[in-house]
Amino acid sequence: MQEKYYGWGLPVDVSVHGWQVDQLIVVVHVFMAVLFIGWFSFLIYALIRFRQKPAHQADARARHFKLPTYVEAGVALFEVVLLCAFSFPIFSQARNEFPREDKALKVRVVAEQFAWNVHYPGKDGLFGRMDPKLIKAVNPLGLDPADPAGRDDVTTVNQLRVPVHTPVIVELASKDVIHSFAIPVMRVKQDVIPGQTVRSWFEAKQTGNFQIVCAQLCGLGHYRMRGFFTVQDKDEFRTWFDAETAKKTGQKQP
Amino acid sequence: MNSELGSTLKRPKRPDKSNHKMESLMGGRRENEKLPFWRRYIFSQDHKVIGIQYGITGLCFLLFGFTLMMLMRWQLAYPGKPLPLIGQFFPETAMISGIMLPEFYNQLGAMHGTIMVFLGVVPLAVGGFGNYFLPLQVGAPDMAFPKLNMVSYWFYFVGGVVMIASFFVPGGAAQSGWTSYPPLADIAPTGQTLWLVGMAFLINSSLLGSLNFIVTTVQLRTEGMSFFRLPFFVWAQFVTAFLLLLAFPPLMAAAVLQLMDRLAHTSFFMPSGLVVAGKVLEASGGGNPLLWQHLFWFLAHPEVYVLILPAMGIVAEIITCNTRKPIYGYKALVYSALFIGFMSFLVWAHHMYLTGMGTKMSAFFQITTMIISIPSVIVLTTMVLTLWGGSIRFNTPMLFAIAFLPMFGIGGLTGLPLGLAAADIHLHDTYYVIGHFHYVVAPGTIFALFAGIYHWFPKITGRRMSETLGKIHFWSSLAFINGIFMPMFLQGLAGVSRRLFDPTQYAHALSTQPLNVFISICAWLLGLAQIPFILNFFGSLFWGRRTGQNPWEATTLEWAAPSPPPHGNFPKPVRVYRGPYEYSAPGRKKDFWPQNALEAD
C-alpha cells in the first residue's frame, strides 16, 4: 500500500523542513562523485600509462605536483561551506529552533520494548503525572488517575496521528532501553535515552499513512518495533481528538 | 646479495649501546634454538613465531566472523525460510527447524562485529604483520620485551576462547550489538558478561603489544636507522601502538563498570525508574547510559584508525616496491599519520549526534571530523602520485594494494555525509553506515591485509604463492565485495535501519528487499572466492616455488634477512645508510638500493 513512497533511494519527503536535509545529502553526494570520478580516472590513467614495459625504468626524480595542493585546499574550503551553509543551520533548526508551543501540537512518545506509547495531553494541554510503579498492561504509561491534568489525556499504542501543516513537538522518553524514534518520510530521527526526556519536532505537509521506525537496536523485537504514523486533515484530526477526549472525560466523570 | 650483508659492515668506532644490546639479544635467541617444541612454537618468545600465531589465529577468526555473517545474510534475504542443508544442525535456541530466531540473529550480529574488529583484523594487522615485520624493518633481533609479547598473544587467545565459549552459555552470546549499549547490554543474558570478560583479555593483550611496539621502535632501531629512515609501515604501526595504548584504557574502565552493573547490581549506566517488560527494574538507578557511549566511542573511534593505519602502511610498502619508485611525499605521509593519530581522539562523539547532543558540541565534533578527512586525503593522494612515472608491476599483492585505494576512498568519502550532523539525521543507524565502515574495513583494510600476505609470504615461508590463484582470488573478491556493500548505500538512503532481524517488516525496507537478495548472493559468492586463497595459502606452504632472500627486489631491511629469517633475524647486525624507498635511483644499474647496502654495491 505504501510502495509509492519508497524506493531504492531517499524516500518521499512529506515534511516541511526535510528538503534541507535532502538538499545537503544531494550536494554532498555530487561533491563526492566529482572528487571520486576525477581521482579514479587519474588512478586508472596512471596505472595504464606507467605499467611495466620492457627496457623502461621508473623515473624516481623528485617532482612536485601543485594540483593536489589546490585540490586539498578546495576540499577543505568546500567542507567549510558544507558545515557553515548547510549542516550547522539545519541541525540547529532541528535541535534548537522549536516552534511556539501555543501553535504546535504537543505529544509525548514513550518507547518500550517493543512499542511506541503515544500520549496526547487533553484540552488542558497538560500531561498527566506518570509513575513507573503504576505501569500495568491497561496503563502502559503509568498515568496517575489522581492527577486532574491526566484525566483528559489521550493515549494510543503504536499509532501517532498528527494534523497536517501543524508543527508537532514530540517529547521522547523510554521505559527501558535506548530506542531511536525515526520517521524516514519526515526526515526526523532522535535517539530515545532512558532517564531523560529529549524533544524533537517536525511538521507534515501532506496527509497519508506512514511508519515510525526504531533505529537503534533495542532487543530481539527491534525489527518489529513499528509504529503507524498518520497525517490527517486538520478537521479530521480535530474530530478524532475531540471524540477521544470526550470518551476519556465522559468515562471518568459521568 | 647475501654476502653483501654482514661482510661489508663497518664496525662503528665508538661503542654503541644499542648494538651491544642487540648482540646479546641475538645470542640469547640462538640458545632458544635448543628449546623444546612447546617453548619454540607454542609458548614462543620469538616475535616471528608470535607474529605467525597472531596471523593464523586472526585469519581463522576472520573466516569465523565471515561465516556468522553468511548465516545472517540468509535470514536477511529469505526471512522466515528454513536455512537449507545446515539449518537442522543448529540447536533450538538458535533455529527452530532451520528458521532463525531473532535472539540468534542479534548474537550473530554482535559477535560478527566483535570478532571481525577485535579478534580478526586488529590481531592480523597489528599482532601478525606488526609483530613479524616491525622488528625486521627496524633491524632489531626481536621485540624489546619478548616475554610480554608472548603474554600478549596468550591474552588474545584466551579472549578469543571466552568469546567463542559465550555462544554456548544459556541465553547465548552477547546480543546487544558490538557497541553493547546499556541499559540493553546491562539486562542482556549471561553471554554479555563473557563478552566483557573476553574484552578485558583483549584489551590487556593490546596494551602489552602496544608497549612492545613503542619501545622496540624507539630503542631497538639498528645503527643508522633514524626516524625518518623508518619504512612507512613502521610509522603506521608506531602511531597505531599509541592509539591502542591510550584509547583502550577507557574501554577497560567502561567494561569493568558494565560488569559491576551486571554482577554487583550497581547502576553506572542505569537511570532510575526503568520498567522492563512491565516490571520495575530493581536497580539503585541514577546512572547514565550515555556515559557508556562516550567511553566506548573514545576507544572505538581511534580503533577505526587502528584498523586503517597498518593497512596504509602495508599498502605504502607494496605500492612503492611495485612501482619501483620512492614514495611521493614520504614526510607528508608520516606527518599525516601522526596527525590522524592525534585527531582520532577528538572525533568520537560524531557517533552520537542524535543522542540529544547540543548544537555547540555537535559543531565541535563536526569540525574535527572534517579536519581528520584532510590527512586521509593526503595519504590517498601521495599513494596515487607515487604511481606517476613508475614502472608498475601488476602482481597479486600490487593488485590488492591498488584496489585498497579506491575502496578506502569510497569508505572515506561516504563518511562525509555521516560526519555532517544534518545529513546524519536521515542516515544515522541505517545501512548507509554499514556500507561506509565496511568499505573502510573490508575491501579497504582486509584487501590490504591480503596484499600483505601475498607480499610477505615468501619472506615468512621461503616460498611464493601462486599468481594464477592469487589473481582469481583478487578479481572475484573485488567484484563480489562491491556487490555486497555498494547496494547498502541505496538501502541506507532509503532509510533502512541496521540490525533488523526481518527487514520486510517495514514498508520502506521492504522496497529494497531485492537488493538484500542480491547482497546475500554476493556474500556467499565472496565466501566461495576465498577458496582459491585457502588452497593457495596451504598449497604454497608445501609446493610453492622456492624463493631467495629478496624476491621482489625491495629495499627495506626485512629483505636483508634470510627467508625465513632465523632466530635473531639477521646473521650479523645490519647497518642502515639511506631512506627506505631508494628505488630507481638515478645513475645506478639496479633499480633498487637496499637500506643496508653500501655505496659501492
Side-chain angles (χ1 to χ4, degrees), chain B residues 68-150:
Chain B
L68 301 185
M69 192 277 286
M70 288 194 281
L71 289 174
M72 293 165 77
R73 286 307 325 177
W74 174 265
Q75 168 63 24
L76 287 171
Y78 308 109
K81 298 229 175 78
L83 179 65
L85 302 173
I86 50 172
Q88 52 187 316
F89 299 113
F90 284 87
E92 291 218 332
T93 47
M95 294 186 191
I96 290 175
S97 48
I99 298 169
M100 193 180 287
L101 295 172
E103 300 87 305
F104 189 56
Y105 178 86
N106 286 350
Q107 290 170 37
L108 292 176
M111 295 309 283
H112 166 74
T114 307
I115 286 171
M116 286 309 214
V117 171
F118 296 108
L119 290 162
V121 173
V122 173
L124 180 55
V126 179
F129 285 114
N131 251 318
Y132 201 103
F133 291 106
L134 183 133
L136 279 165
Q137 288 198 332
V138 301
D142 205 318
M143 280 286 184
F145 309 116
K147 279 202 186 90
L148 275 192
N149 207 10
M150 176 184 78

Side-chain angles (χ1 to χ4, degrees), chain A residues 2-3 6-11 20-22 24-25 28-29 31-33 35-36 39-40 42-43 45-53 56-61 63-66 68-69 71-72 75-80 82-83 86-88 90-96 112-114 116 132-136 174-178 180 182-185 187-196 198 211-227, chain B residues 102-103 106 175-177 181-184 187 271-278 280 288-290 293 323-326 328 353-359 362-363 366-367 370-371 373-374 377-378 380-381 384-385 387-394 398 402 405-406 409-410 413-414 416-417 419-430 432 490-491 493-495 497-502 504-508 510-515 583-586 588-591:
Chain A
Q2 302 188 358
E3 283 81 11
Y6 308 112
W8 285 12
L10 289 170
Q20 296 166 300
V21 171
D22 289 5
L24 172 60
I25 289 176
V28 176
H29 280 83
F31 171 66
M32 284 152 58
L35 260 188
F36 186 76
W39 177 88
F40 189 67
F42 181 86
L43 172 72
Y45 174 72
L47 288 176
I48 294 170
R49 178 165 163 196
F50 298 106
R51 68 192 183 279
Q52 192 175 38
K53 291 167 225 156
H56 170 263
Q57 222 188 3
D59 179 6
R61 279 169 303 172
R63 68 171 82 203
H64 184 70
F65 293 92
K66 276 198 184 135
T69 320
V71 175
E72 286 279 348
V75 169
L77 200 68
F78 194 76
E79 287 180 347
V80 173
L82 285 175
L83 287 174
F86 294 92
S87 195
F88 291 166
I90 300 172
F91 195 67
S92 165
Q93 180 189 302
R95 291 283 317 137
N96 290 349
E112 69 174 77
Q113 288 174 326
F114 303 95
W116 304 98
K133 290 190 198 85
L134 297 173
I135 289 177
K136 280 186 219 112
S174 169
K175 278 157 70 171
D176 38 39
V177 302
I178 298 176
S180 188
I183 306 176
V185 293
R187 304 297 186 267
V188 151
K189 188 177 290 161
Q190 176 60 55
D191 285 3
V192 189
I193 314 284
Q196 41 187 279
V198 190
Q211 286 182 346
I212 305 170
V213 178
C214 181
Q216 183 70 263
L217 178 67
C218 58
L220 55 90
H222 167 57
Y223 70 98
R224 56 178 164 79
M225 190 166 158
R226 177 185 51 203
Chain B
E103 300 87 305
N106 286 350
Q175 46 193 282
S176 313
Y181 280 5
L184 183 63
I187 58 176
S272 312
L274 291 190
V275 181
V276 177
V280 178
N288 190 332
L290 288 183
Q293 295 192 19
T323 47
R324 318 304 295 158
K325 255 192 81 212
Y328 178 86
Y353 287 145
L354 302 186
T355 51
M357 184 188 284
T359 44
S362 75
Q366 289 180 71
I367 291 170
M370 293 301 122
I371 290 174
S373 72
I374 304 287
V377 177
I378 292 178
L380 274 186
T381 312
V384 175
L385 290 180
L387 301 172
W388 196 263
S391 172
I392 303 167
R393 301 189 300 211
F394 291 102
M398 185 61 168
I402 292 171
L405 302 176
I410 294 174
L413 281 172
T414 50
L416 204 55
L420 297 165
D424 198 44
I425 292 174
H426 183 62
L427 298 174
H428 185 74
D429 268 333
T430 64
Y432 199 93
L490 293 175
Q491 293 185 315
L493 286 169
S497 297
R498 52 193 295 201
R499 296 165 170 171
L500 292 178
F501 160 72
D502 181 351
T504 59
Q505 294 283 321
Y506 287 108
H508 67 291
L510 186 60
S511 70
T512 68
Q513 189 57 17
L515 290 175
Y583 289 100
S584 306
R588 292 188 57 84
K589 243 190 291 170
K590 281 188 190 159
D591 70 350

Side-chain angles (χ1 to χ4, degrees), chain A residues 149-162:
Chain A
R151 295 246 164 92
D152 58 350
D153 288 8
V154 175
T155 58
T156 63
V157 178
N158 284 335
Q159 173 67 64
L160 175 62
R161 285 168 200 267
V162 299

Side-chain angles (χ1 to χ4, degrees), chain B residues 2 67 103 136 152 168 215 218 232 264 296 332 381 404 447 449 451 468 504 555 570:
Chain B
N2 247 334
T67 311
E103 300 87 305
L136 279 165
S152 160
F168 302 100
V215 176
V218 174
F232 181 63
F296 180 84
T381 312
F404 167 86
F447 267 32
L449 296 177
T468 317
T504 59
T555 50
F570 302 98

